[in-house]
Amino acid sequence: MILDKINMPQDLKTLSADELNKLADEMRALIIKKANTIGGHLGPNLGIIEATIAMHYVFNCPEDKIVFDVSHQCYPHKILTGRKEGFLNPENYLKYTGYTAPEESVCDLFKVGHTSTSVSLAAGVAKARDLAGSKENVIAIIGDGSLSGGEAYEGLNNAAVLNSNIIIVVNDNDMSIAENQGGLYKNLELLRNTNGKAENNFFKTLGFEYFYEGEGNNIERMIKAFKKVKDTKCPTVLHIKTIKGLGLADADKNREIYHWILPGTLDKKPEISSAAPVEDYNTITKDFILNKAKSDPSIIAINPATPGVFGFNKDFRKQMGQQYTDVAISEEHAVAYASALAKCGAKPILCIMSSFIQRTYDQLSQDLCLNNSPATLLVYWGAISGADCTHLGCFDIPLISNIPNMVYLAPTCKEEYLSMLEWSAEQSDYPVAIRVPFGKFVTTGVKDETDYSILNLFKITQSGENIAIIGVGNFYHLALDAAAAIETKLGFKPTVINPGFLTGLDTECLETLKKNHNIVITLEDGVLDGGFGEKISRYYGSSDMKVLNFGAKKDFTDRIPVEELYQRYHLTPELILEDIENIMPARV
Amino acid sequence: MILDKINMPQDLKTLSADELNKLADEMRALIIKKANTIGGHLGPNLGIIEATIAMHYVFNCPEDKIVFDVSHQCYPHKILTGRKEGFLNPENYLKYTGYTAPEESVCDLFKVGHTSTSVSLAAGVAKARDLAGSKENVIAIIGDGSLSGGEAYEGLNNAAVLNSNIIIVVNDNDMSIAENQGGLYKNLELLRNTNGKAENNFFKTLGFEYFYEGEGNNIERMIKAFKKVKDTKCPTVLHIKTIKGLGLADADKNREIYHWILPGTLDKKPEISSAAPVEDYNTITKDFILNKAKSDPSIIAINPATPGVFGFNKDFRKQMGQQYTDVAISEEHAVAYASALAKCGAKPILCIMSSFIQRTYDQLSQDLCLNNSPATLLVYWGAISGADCTHLGCFDIPLISNIPNMVYLAPTCKEEYLSMLEWSAEQSDYPVAIRVPFGKFVTTGVKDETDYSILNLFKITQSGENIAIIGVGNFYHLALDAAAAIETKLGFKPTVINPGFLTGLDTECLETLKKNHNIVITLEDGVLDGGFGEKISRYYGSSDMKVLNFGAKKDFTDRIPVEELYQRYHLTPELILEDIENIMPARV
């Protein structure tokens, strides 16, 4: 195996052209096998193997500095920079994260998992080099999909005037996660079609020196291309055309499906399953939107480049037609666009993941909430999870719920969720975000008739005494379990409350609790700092009520199994009970 | 007066060319007089008078929809859309806000005060129109300075593929707030120099139909230009060249100074004062940076397009040379760039206003804090204030302090501030933000020798009993006043604490308080929700300690005098005392 000889990038430099090509084959096989075993970003990584080999052949990493955008394309880089064991041996598959990580290798500068950041980061790296008076190359590698993000553009606009060495490698495979969206992509197409010769050139308008290489999967050509830009004295773009999923028989036809795959995907034929889909929060959301859109042309579903996450498959998009917009990786635009649609009488439903709504704080504040636009935002994957540190979904409650005018709802089951969705879509008074339940699909079978226009009305679902448990959204079910544990162990029935609203308190309900309760506990599936529970603590601060807030610690956890986090944060009925007993007076 | 005849835009349509020009003169005089009386955005508004008249002459507002970016250019529009009394009569000068405001006129669609939002908003307006099947024109007016913001680019990229009517008016006066920065501006210059004919055209690369008008201050030419694009069926850019500050004798030479002026500015000669500047938080920051930069080439000051706010005048910029970057209106880039600089050994100091750091939540989280980069961020104007609802500075504590790894510091005086600044610039362990004191300049004359590397160590500055007052940053002085009031009225000395850190609790200090205190109060100069005080409430939730949190309500207040807000939120010693007495046991 050629790979046996490669421990760090400099080991590439003595290989022949043949050996480099064989190495690419070996790496391709390893990446396919690993992704099909544990899941991962398959398509983008297969497309960038040759360019990565050529890059490390030409440049001198770690002296030369490489910044990968969003890291969807960093597997080949990882193999060549001391981490091949994570690909060779299935026992080590989980040893390295799927993203760049400085703690793994001196060849990684940053932890990166959100898109469109590489150019800004590289600009900082280059400027630090200039201030220190050194001369190494600084390279940002950005996929075409990431180019639609505002941060990438801000970075390009600034990198272009650095007046020194910075090389932006634009890996253009004519795909974002799904199809590319937006005007820029026509220019990339024009550039590909003219072999980079077209006069009207996005990168040139920003002031970059520009090079094009149409055969981005040809190692020898890529070596030449990199040699051409190496040690450039000015901001330079190297635009390369690669094939996403190269090496998979049908990857070209199924590029979206192969962007990120689940274990075993390659062993099945994708998209041929005829079984009715199992009902879950995705399917009911999709059905809700489709049904509503059919009878109401003002309904419009919006998402920023991740339709697959929401189950918005090709059939859905086709049925929605003009009532669907994928805004590309443009979360800020998505929120402003939704706000304006709502302000002008349409009924936008913007679907976005908790981790990525972080990109829109100011748009939520200024474009949406300050204007009190009645748009609906569906926040997916908001929960404490075992995710990579770059994709945590536990910060959305502090992010969203402290913005004035916003109504943030936390449903606990199918019926509540659909009822909130229906109310939100039809009302015209508030910006509304709904934290789509995460985890087990729960259905009560009983239609939820709540009038959500009466804001901040908590639901007391079990009346009891001494202790009240407020279980937010996903954790309402934990509240029920904790209540049962309390009843068994302590011999009385505690009160259980489903607050529903995260953006305001039901002060009447909270006052009433004072009569026959002396402990209130809050359970939220997210970080405690700035969250819901603290507001309950503040409310009762001047009273005799004891309050215990349960939730996550403020921390960037990294692939810690969720069960372990639940133990750590005392998020099990048993541990909750223990904590309660610790603060209980001898007799409640 | 021609203006007598104009109440709404349609009244323009019967005027002759002569009358339109006279109207422009009248409006110019009114805007100059008003800005020189109460302050305001003078330069940008003077530049857009003729284009605004022409626009309203050609289009039919409010049927046709106009979205102003950041609203720095909306005074002429306000005069023509039912609000001239706010300019004619000095008594009405404060009647209307300086930004677009739907509650003032049907011709305003959105409240806008942050930049770069107009294209996204207009895209939503246009899409809502398309869904409703109507045909009116949708126009976004964006200044060249706002074009550097990522949200503007995301908007352009998406607007370009709308496939229907949307007109982006790019008002190019070759200036941002200060000089324009970034690669894009060279393309705008090329387009101006070629009368819009250059083949390499930023807007065309994104897919827009493109028109250029070099005489943007000529009403007749602008009428023709607008007629050309009116009722276009495709996304269209009308790029116009105007003169910022037109009509002021020396505005062209002093375009930065006249961007926004204080009352009376026109009566003085700007920048000729030879008096030594009064010491304030701006001057000491500037001196600190300059001194440090002289001996340390790795020091770099960064700001996003508002150098004037920080007192970074031309002399400062010149002295700093390569150790200064104005990244243009690109807050996201600014944070990522600072993070990378810090990661690579430089010592970046990023200056940014509280209201605008809102644009960077995800960059703070992912680019900066997840990477634990030891950059220094100085957050200016973080305070409860009488500002316009678009420029409130009271949300930064919840925004910043709930992000893991961040160290957010709140100094209370010159000496503490400088000591924190020195520590932050030299340490390499944490991302640090410092809330620059706002309001009265306080100096103790005693050097602060605190070792800030010991995180979360609160300072007990007055040891007392029964009641402890934690006064955060600016409000530490209110804490002292409240303590004095308590001592006078209640006859005992309360404890006073300056926490210094906003991102963690001194649990040892808080535990100790339990011994001889039964009430803790917190005072913070910002919104309570998600802020510092709630963390104290959470901490004491399960104990007998009573906690009262003082700060702002979660609300977009709009030009409410700060004294009124202090009354509303009980932020005076007397009202604090009252609230304490209300929860005190009969005998403390």
Side-chain angles (χ1 to χ4, degrees):
Chain A
M1 221 179 174
I2 307 291
L3 193 54
D4 293 339
K5 305 189 211 168
I6 311 297
N7 292 307
M8 282 295 275
Q10 57 267 35
D11 300 328
L12 287 172
K13 293 183 188 271
T14 56
L15 297 189
S16 68
D18 251 14
E19 289 174 310
L20 291 172
N21 283 313
K22 268 190 205 134
L23 177 64
D25 293 341
E26 291 171 10
M27 289 166 65
R28 181 160 277 114
L30 290 173
I31 289 171
I32 291 173
K33 187 173 168 209
K34 176 170 176 176
N36 195 42
T37 307
I38 63 159
H41 285 102
L42 181 58
N45 280 296
L46 291 181
I48 194 88
I49 292 172
E50 289 77 14
T52 307
I53 292 173
M55 180 173 66
H56 281 304
Y57 183 89
V58 172
F59 293 98
N60 302 305
C61 193
E63 289 73 33
D64 290 327
K65 305 281 191 295
I66 300 171
V67 183
F68 279 87
D69 201 275
V70 76
S71 318
H72 286 172
Q73 321 177 351
C74 71
Y75 297 179
H77 166 78
K78 289 200 164 200
I79 293 176
L80 299 176
T81 52
R83 290 166 281 187
K84 63 183 179 188
E85 54 166 337
F87 293 79
L88 283 163
N89 183 347
E91 277 175 27
N92 291 325
Y93 274 175
L94 293 174
K95 182 164 179 182
Y96 302 110
T97 167
Y99 302 87
T100 54
E103 69 275 19
E104 293 178 2
S105 168
V106 291
C107 296
D108 289 2
L109 287 170
F110 302 99
K111 282 180 196 285
V112 179
H114 284 195
T115 72
S116 312
T117 70
S118 60
V119 182
S120 281
L121 291 172
V125 175
K127 182 72 181 180
R129 173 204 59 202
D130 294 346
L131 290 174
S134 57
K135 293 286 170 205
E136 68 273 12
N137 288 276
V138 175
I139 302 143
I141 301 180
I142 183 165
D144 47 346
S146 291
L147 279 178
S148 56
E151 189 179 354
Y153 163 77
E154 291 184 358
L156 287 168
N157 190 38
N158 279 282
V161 293
L162 265 182
N163 207 20
S164 62
N165 171 290
I166 183 167
I167 300 162
I168 320 289
V169 179
V170 175
N171 175 26
D172 182 359
N173 55 31
D174 192 21
M175 277 291 283
S176 179
I177 298 168
E179 299 91 354
N180 273 321
Q181 307 289 344
L184 172 66
Y185 295 102
K186 292 189 186 138
N187 191 246
L188 294 187
E189 189 182 0
L190 173 72
L191 292 169
R192 290 195 307 272
N193 291 344
T194 58
N195 206 28
K197 299 273 190 293
E199 191 57 37
N200 196 35
N201 177 319
F202 175 74
F203 305 104
K204 283 190 182 173
T205 64
L206 295 178
F208 286 95
E209 187 154 7
Y210 173 86
F211 296 90
Y212 179 79
E213 173 50 63
E215 292 189 39
N217 293 98
N218 179 321
I219 295 179
E220 287 176 86
R221 290 191 65 97
M222 282 308 303
I223 287 175
K224 278 189 196 142
F226 280 123
K227 283 185 172 165
K228 228 184 289 174
V229 297
K230 191 184 177 190
D231 300 324
T232 175
K233 299 273 179 276
C234 67
T236 298
V237 163
L238 173 60
H239 178 188
I240 67 174
K241 181 183 165 189
T242 62
I243 299 164
K244 190 167 181 171
L246 182 68
L248 291 175
D250 54 355
D252 203 45
K253 274 175 256 142
N254 287 293
R255 289 186 295 177
E256 182 178 344
I257 290 165
Y258 291 134
H259 171 76
W260 188 92
I261 65 166
L262 284 167
T265 300
L266 302 183
D267 309 327
K268 306 169 215 154
K269 288 262 174 206
E271 280 217 307
I272 307 189
S273 164
S274 62
V278 181
E279 188 176 55
D280 61 18
Y281 291 108
N282 272 8
T283 60
I284 64 172
T285 307
K286 211 168 72 171
D287 291 349
F288 173 90
I289 293 174
L290 273 175
N291 284 335
K292 240 186 146 52
K294 271 178 203 157
S295 59
D296 185 346
S298 70
I299 288 281
I300 174 167
I302 305 165
N303 90 92
T306 56
V309 171
F310 317 119
F312 292 170
N313 56 18
K314 285 185 179 169
D315 179 55
F316 172 86
R317 299 178 220 166
K318 197 176 153 195
Q319 284 193 63
M320 291 293 289
Q322 289 306 306
Q323 289 173 264
Y324 169 79
T325 308
D326 178 345
V327 296
I329 295 175
S330 294
E331 292 86 358
E332 301 179 71
H333 168 74
V335 170
Y337 177 68
S339 170
L341 276 156
K343 205 73 186 174
C344 294
K347 295 170 184 165
I349 298 173
L350 166 58
C351 300
I352 187 164
M353 288 160 72
S354 167
S355 184
F356 300 146
I357 202 166
Q358 295 186 180
R359 300 176 77 84
T360 70
Y361 179 91
D362 199 50
Q363 290 70 38
L364 293 173
S365 170
Q366 299 290 303
D367 295 323
L368 184 71
C369 291
L370 178 60
N371 284 288
N372 217 20
S373 301
T376 302
L377 274 58
L378 302 185
V379 182
Y380 285 72
W381 298 13
I384 297 167
S385 75
D388 181 275
C389 58
T390 61
H391 281 70
L392 298 171
C394 57
F395 297 105
D396 55 283
I397 297 178
L399 184 91
I400 296 171
S401 69
N402 296 318
I403 301 175
N405 295 355
M406 178 67 92
V407 175
Y408 197 16
L409 298 168
T412 66
C413 63
K414 168 187 170 182
E415 288 75 12
E416 242 182 7
Y417 173 52
L418 288 176
S419 172
M420 288 171 173
L421 201 43
E422 174 66 28
W423 168 72
S424 177
E426 294 301 332
Q427 58 84 37
S428 53
D429 297 321
Y430 316 102
V432 175
I434 303 177
R435 201 174 203 230
V436 180
F438 186 80
K440 216 180 84 183
F441 183 69
V442 178
T443 171
T444 60
V446 184
K447 192 170 182 212
D448 175 24
E449 306 276 10
T450 311
D451 176 1
Y452 289 101
S453 71
I454 306 166
L455 297 188
N456 307 326
L457 205 58
F458 292 1
K459 294 175 193 169
I460 299 181
T461 59
Q462 171 174 309
S463 276
E465 55 180 348
N466 304 329
I467 296 174
I469 311 177
I470 306 182
V472 172
N474 306 329
F475 275 4
Y476 170 69
H477 311 289
L478 176 60
L480 291 176
D481 293 345
I486 289 167
E487 191 168 353
T488 305
K489 180 82 184 291
L490 304 179
F492 61 84
K493 193 190 273 293
T495 293
V496 179
I497 295 172
N498 167 9
F501 294 84
L502 299 175
T503 28
L505 299 185
D506 184 340
T507 53
E508 201 180 309
C509 168
L510 296 180
E511 274 307 296
T512 308
L513 291 181
K514 286 181 179 172
K515 280 184 209 151
N516 57 340
H517 297 76
N518 41 36
I519 297 177
V520 169
I521 78 166
T522 66
L523 305 175
E524 63 195 299
D525 197 0
V527 73
L528 283 171
D529 295 70
F532 177 81
E534 288 186 344
K535 286 163 189 61
I536 301 290
S537 290
R538 162 154 68 105
Y539 181 80
Y540 285 122
S542 60
S543 77
D544 291 323
M545 186 74 85
K546 300 266 192 298
V547 182
L548 275 183
N549 300 137
F550 290 85
K553 198 170 156 282
K554 180 175 73 168
D555 195 7
F556 290 118
T557 58
D558 193 13
R559 294 164 293 151
I560 313 284
V562 71
E563 295 72 23
E564 193 178 326
L565 294 176
Y566 285 178
Q567 288 293 319
R568 187 183 291 179
Y569 303 142
H570 289 203
L571 294 169
T572 69
E574 299 70 33
L575 293 168
I576 292 167
L577 183 59
E578 256 182 60
D579 286 356
I580 290 172
E581 287 182 301
N582 281 337
I583 64 156
M584 274 173 73
R587 176 169 292 271
V588 177
Chain B
M1 221 180 174
I2 307 291
L3 193 54
D4 293 339
K5 304 189 211 170
I6 311 296
N7 292 306
M8 283 294 276
Q10 57 266 34
D11 300 328
L12 288 171
K13 294 183 188 271
T14 54
L15 297 189
S16 68
D18 253 14
E19 288 174 311
L20 291 172
N21 283 313
K22 269 190 204 134
L23 177 64
D25 293 342
E26 292 171 11
M27 289 166 64
R28 180 160 278 113
L30 290 174
I31 289 171
I32 291 173
K33 187 173 169 210
K34 177 171 176 176
N36 195 42
T37 307
I38 64 159
H41 285 101
L42 180 59
N45 280 296
L46 291 181
I48 194 88
I49 292 172
E50 290 77 14
T52 307
I53 292 173
M55 180 173 66
H56 281 304
Y57 183 89
V58 172
F59 293 97
N60 301 305
C61 193
E63 290 74 33
D64 291 325
K65 305 282 190 296
I66 300 170
V67 183
F68 279 87
D69 202 276
V70 77
S71 316
H72 287 172
Q73 321 177 351
C74 71
Y75 298 179
H77 166 78
K78 289 201 165 199
I79 294 176
L80 299 176
T81 53
R83 290 165 281 187
K84 63 182 178 188
E85 54 166 336
F87 293 79
L88 283 164
N89 184 347
E91 278 176 26
N92 291 325
Y93 274 174
L94 293 175
K95 182 164 180 182
Y96 302 109
T97 167
Y99 302 88
T100 54
E103 70 275 19
E104 292 178 1
S105 168
V106 291
C107 296
D108 288 3
L109 287 170
F110 303 99
K111 281 180 197 285
V112 178
H114 285 196
T115 71
S116 311
T117 70
S118 60
V119 182
S120 280
L121 292 172
V125 175
K127 182 72 182 180
R129 171 204 61 202
D130 294 346
L131 290 173
S134 58
K135 295 287 171 205
E136 68 273 14
N137 289 276
V138 175
I139 301 142
I141 301 180
I142 183 165
D144 47 346
S146 292
L147 278 179
S148 56
E151 189 179 354
Y153 163 76
E154 292 185 357
L156 287 168
N157 190 37
N158 278 282
V161 293
L162 265 182
N163 207 20
S164 62
N165 171 290
I166 183 167
I167 299 161
I168 319 291
V169 179
V170 175
N171 175 26
D172 182 359
N173 54 33
D174 193 21
M175 277 291 282
S176 179
I177 297 167
E179 299 92 354
N180 273 322
Q181 308 289 344
L184 173 67
Y185 295 102
K186 292 191 185 137
N187 191 246
L188 294 187
E189 189 182 2
L190 174 72
L191 291 170
R192 290 196 306 272
N193 291 345
T194 58
N195 207 28
K197 298 274 191 292
E199 191 57 37
N200 196 35
N201 177 319
F202 175 74
F203 305 104
K204 283 189 181 174
T205 65
L206 294 177
F208 286 95
E209 187 154 8
Y210 174 85
F211 296 89
Y212 179 79
E213 174 51 62
E215 292 189 39
N217 292 98
N218 178 321
I219 295 179
E220 287 176 86
R221 291 190 64 97
M222 281 308 302
I223 288 175
K224 278 189 197 144
F226 280 123
K227 282 186 174 167
K228 231 184 288 174
V229 297
K230 191 185 177 190
D231 299 324
T232 175
K233 299 275 179 273
C234 67
T236 298
V237 164
L238 173 60
H239 178 188
I240 66 174
K241 181 183 165 190
T242 62
I243 299 163
K244 192 166 179 172
L246 182 69
L248 291 174
D250 54 355
D252 202 45
K253 272 175 259 145
N254 288 293
R255 290 185 296 176
E256 182 178 344
I257 291 165
Y258 291 133
H259 171 76
W260 189 92
I261 64 166
L262 285 167
T265 299
L266 301 183
D267 309 328
K268 307 167 213 156
K269 288 264 174 205
E271 282 214 304
I272 307 187
S273 166
S274 62
V278 180
E279 187 175 56
D280 61 18
Y281 291 108
N282 273 7
T283 59
I284 63 172
T285 306
K286 212 168 69 172
D287 291 347
F288 173 89
I289 293 174
L290 272 175
N291 285 336
K292 239 186 146 52
K294 269 177 206 160
S295 59
D296 184 346
S298 70
I299 288 280
I300 173 168
I302 305 164
N303 89 93
T306 55
V309 170
F310 318 118
F312 293 170
N313 56 18
K314 285 184 179 170
D315 179 55
F316 172 86
R317 298 177 222 166
K318 197 176 154 196
Q319 285 193 63
M320 290 292 289
Q322 289 307 306
Q323 290 174 263
Y324 170 79
T325 309
D326 178 345
V327 296
I329 295 175
S330 293
E331 292 87 356
E332 302 180 72
H333 168 75
V335 170
Y337 177 67
S339 169
L341 277 155
K343 204 74 187 174
C344 295
K347 296 171 183 164
I349 298 173
L350 166 58
C351 300
I352 186 164
M353 288 160 71
S354 167
S355 185
F356 299 146
I357 202 167
Q358 296 187 178
R359 300 176 78 83
T360 69
Y361 179 91
D362 199 49
Q363 289 70 38
L364 293 174
S365 169
Q366 300 289 305
D367 295 323
L368 184 71
C369 291
L370 177 60
N371 284 288
N372 216 20
S373 301
T376 301
L377 275 58
L378 302 184
V379 181
Y380 285 71
W381 298 13
I384 298 167
S385 74
D388 181 276
C389 57
T390 62
H391 282 70
L392 298 171
C394 57
F395 298 105
D396 56 282
I397 298 179
L399 185 91
I400 295 171
S401 69
N402 296 317
I403 299 176
N405 296 355
M406 177 68 93
V407 175
Y408 197 17
L409 298 168
T412 66
C413 63
K414 168 187 171 181
E415 289 74 12
E416 241 181 6
Y417 172 53
L418 288 176
S419 173
M420 289 172 173
L421 201 43
E422 175 67 27
W423 168 72
S424 178
E426 294 300 333
Q427 59 83 38
S428 54
D429 297 321
Y430 316 102
V432 174
I434 303 177
R435 201 175 204 231
V436 180
F438 186 80
K440 217 179 84 183
F441 183 69
V442 179
T443 172
T444 61
V446 182
K447 192 172 181 211
D448 176 23
E449 306 276 11
T450 311
D451 177 1
Y452 289 101
S453 71
I454 306 166
L455 297 188
N456 307 325
L457 205 59
F458 293 1
K459 295 175 192 167
I460 299 181
T461 58
Q462 171 174 309
S463 276
E465 54 180 348
N466 303 330
I467 296 175
I469 310 177
I470 306 181
V472 173
N474 306 330
F475 276 4
Y476 170 69
H477 311 288
L478 177 60
L480 291 176
D481 293 345
I486 289 167
E487 191 168 354
T488 305
K489 180 81 182 293
L490 304 179
F492 61 84
K493 192 189 275 292
T495 294
V496 178
I497 295 172
N498 167 11
F501 293 84
L502 299 175
T503 28
L505 299 185
D506 184 341
T507 54
E508 201 179 308
C509 167
L510 296 180
E511 273 309 295
T512 309
L513 291 182
K514 286 180 179 173
K515 280 185 210 150
N516 58 339
H517 298 77
N518 41 35
I519 297 177
V520 170
I521 78 166
T522 66
L523 305 175
E524 64 195 297
D525 197 1
V527 74
L528 283 170
D529 296 71
F532 177 81
E534 288 186 344
K535 286 164 189 60
I536 302 290
S537 290
R538 162 154 69 102
Y539 180 80
Y540 284 122
S542 59
S543 78
D544 291 324
M545 187 74 86
K546 300 266 193 297
V547 182
L548 275 183
N549 301 137
F550 290 84
K553 198 170 157 283
K554 180 175 73 170
D555 195 5
F556 291 118
T557 56
D558 193 14
R559 294 164 292 153
I560 312 284
V562 70
E563 295 73 22
E564 193 180 326
L565 293 177
Y566 285 177
Q567 288 292 319
R568 187 183 290 180
Y569 304 142
H570 289 204
L571 294 169
T572 69
E574 299 70 31
L575 292 168
I576 292 167
L577 183 59
E578 253 182 61
D579 286 355
I580 290 172
E581 287 183 300
N582 281 336
I583 64 155
M584 273 173 74
R587 175 170 294 271
V588 177

